[in-house]
Each structure stands twice: as structure tokens, then as C-alpha cells.
Amino acid sequence: MGPGEEHAVGHGWQGAVLKLMGAKDFTFTVTGAEQVTEDYRRVRFTDGGLLAAAGIHPTMWVRIWFENAGKPHQRAYTLVDPDQEAGTFSLEFALHDGPASHWARGCAPGDTVEATLQGSGFETPEPRPERLLVVGDAASLPAVNSLLDAHPDLPATIWFETQHASDEELPFRTDPDRHELRRVPRQRSGADLVERVRAELPALAGPEAYVWIACDTATTRALAAYARKELALPKERVHALGYWRPS
Ligand SMILES: Cc1cc2nc3c(=O)[nH]c(=O)nc-3n(C[C@H](O)[C@H](O)[C@H](O)COP(=O)(O)OP(=O)(O)OC[C@H]3O[C@@H](n4cnc5c(N)ncnc54)[C@H](O)[C@@H]3O)c2cc1C
């Protein structure tokens, strides 16, 4: 399910369908928060039993319901530093206008949100890639970081779309010895990023590469089609999921 579909339906029947599909509901409780940059906020939680029940995998994400004007809105967020033993994790919010961002700006210790785990998964690429080729932005930075953490021995090239001057200060877990971060300012609704990746990916995308793409839906779709169709990379070597929908 893409983020657009999450917007199109309400809590009621979608929650019911997810429950029928076996999704579990959890209550997360805020224990603290820090403003990482002007436009990026980290919130710490206790997990309401999620991690003991579900385990942990790279890029793991949950569906959370945020109240706004009396209505619940479901939004996807990625677990940061999940600690199964302690039953804790953080979420990092790229801030803009919207119910989730609004909630993150104002939350305080003791506040709770309801969440469902459904749809998240990760298949370790086989054969093991020789390089990670990653396209992301502030919304997918937590997932990008978890991908890098999970593959400490692999070199990576990361095309990262920036939207704010403060994005320079984002908490990248890149190691300059192994990772190359290529920042691309967001222009023309993501078209600059598409052009840049199209120009630079072929030189790096050998048969053993693993391409991971998560930016806005249209950009993600364009780049996934490019990698799979024009570059003819095998389907299982290209992971792509749109993380947000521009309006
Ligand atoms: C699997 C998955 C994991 C995700 N993990 C994270 C995460 O860890 N951290 C995170 O910050 N986001 C993450 N996202 C993206 C997040 O779910 C969306 O950005 C969501 O739309 C935010 O909800 P909102 O209520 O704040 O804004 P919405 O009500 O959805 O949107 C309000 C306005 O803000 C704009 N907008 C929404 N998102 C962005 C954005 N990222 N940049 C610029 N403008 C935007 C919309 O176009 C709209 O105009 C993830 C998405 C997916 C699918």
C-alpha cells in the first residue's frame, strides 16, 4: 500500500481490514523528544510490546494513527535504534505541514499513539551485493541509516534530495571511508534528482549492485522504472517504495 492510499481511507474500515489480516495493535508512549534540526525532530518511545512480538529488521516501519481535528490519520514511520530488550525505539520526523508533523512538534512525555505493524519487511539481497546504491531524502533517512547499519562492510553511494538549508545537519550515519553522499537540492518536483541519478547510476550499477529507492512517489516510480526497464537490473536487485506524496 502506498502513502496515497493511506490518505484516501479512514481509520474505520482500514483498521478493521488490517486486523482481519492479522495485524497487531500496539500503544507507544512518548518518553522524550529532541529537535535535531529546525526541520527534523526525534521522538523517543516505549514500544507497548511491539519489538518482543515482532522482532527487528532493517528499514522496519509501522503505521501510526495521529489525531487531527478529531479525525485519525494513518501515517508510516521508520523505527530508529529499536532495542528489543528495553522495549524502546525512536522515530525521526521530517517536519512539514500535516497531522503527523503537527503531533511530533507538540508531543510530550506520557503522550500515546496507536500503531499497527503491517506491510514492513526486509529481504537480505542474495547474492550479497558488492555495493548499495541508495536514493532517499529526509523522510527516508531513518531507513537509509538502518540499511547502512545493517551492511557495515558494504560501500554505498547515496543520492540524497535536500529541501532545507538545515538538511546539512541531518543525522547521517555515513562513514566517509565507505559511503559517498551526493546531495541533490529538490528542484522541479524531483526532476533534478531523477536526472542526476539517471546520469550517474549506470557507471555504478553492476550486476551485483543493490538499488534501494525511497523518495516522493512520482520520483520513486520514475527511478524504479528506469532501473528495472532501461538498465534492465533484475527485479530483486531493485527495491522501491514511495514515502510521501507532494500536494
Ligand atoms: C514505509 C514508510 C516509512 C516512512 N518513514 C518515515 C520516517 O521515518 N520519517 C519521516 O519523516 N517520514 C517517513 N515516511 C513518510 C511519511 O509517512 C509522510 O511524509 C507522511 O505524509 C507524513 O504525514 P504528515 O501527516 O506529516 O503530512 P501529510 O498530511 O501526509 O501531508 C501534509 C503536507 O506535507 C507534504 N509532505 C508530506 N510529507 C512530506 C515530506 N517528507 N517532505 C515534504 N513535504 C511533505 C504533503 O505533500 C502535504 O502537502 C515514511 C513513509 C513510508 C511509506
Side-chain angles (χ1 to χ4, degrees), residues 7 75-78 92 94 96-97 99-101 139 163 243 245-247:
H7 287 207
R75 301 288 187 261
Y77 280 85
T78 305
E92 292 179 352
H96 37 263
D97 268 340
S101 293
Q163 294 194 45
Y243 268 33
R245 193 174 291 271
S247 53

Side-chain angles (χ1 to χ4, degrees), residues 186-208:
R186 183 171 175 83
Q187 297 286 344
R188 300 182 295 136
S189 306
D192 277 19
L193 180 65
V194 173
E195 258 176 38
R196 180 87 182 266
V197 174
R198 284 179 69 105
E200 297 176 358
L201 193 68
L204 295 163
E208 302 293 284

Side-chain angles (χ1 to χ4, degrees), residues 1-4 6-7 39-41 59-62 66 68 73-80 90-103 105 119-120 137-143 161 163-164 186 212 214-216 239 241-247:
M1 184 183 295
E6 288 162 13
H7 287 207
D39 307 289
Y40 197 85
R41 187 165 175 80
T59 74
M60 183 170 176
W61 56 278
V62 288
F66 296 99
N68 193 250
H73 300 266
Q74 191 198 91
R75 301 288 187 261
Y77 280 85
T78 305
L79 304 189
V80 175
S90 297
L91 299 179
E92 292 179 352
F93 293 79
L95 299 173
H96 37 263
D97 268 340
S101 293
H102 185 254
W103 180 88
R105 281 190 180 93
S120 182
D137 61 17
S140 56
L141 180 59
E161 190 182 53
Q163 294 194 45
H164 309 283
R186 183 171 175 83
W212 191 95
C215 25
D216 78 73
H239 168 95
L241 180 62
Y243 268 33
W244 60 280
R245 193 174 291 271
S247 53

Side-chain angles (χ1 to χ4, degrees), residues 37-39 162-170 183:
T37 78
E38 213 178 303
D39 307 289
T162 58
Q163 294 194 45
H164 309 283
S166 67
D167 287 358
E168 279 292 317
E169 309 303 322
L170 285 171
R183 291 183 174 83

Side-chain angles (χ1 to χ4, degrees), residues 155-183:
T157 304
I158 302 126
W159 290 267
F160 189 88
E161 190 182 53
T162 58
Q163 294 194 45
H164 309 283
S166 67
D167 287 358
E168 279 292 317
E169 309 303 322
L170 285 171
F172 296 102
R173 295 195 185 170
T174 40
D175 170 350
D177 288 343
R178 284 175 298 123
H179 303 141
E180 195 196 340
L181 186 58
R182 301 182 178 181
R183 291 183 174 83

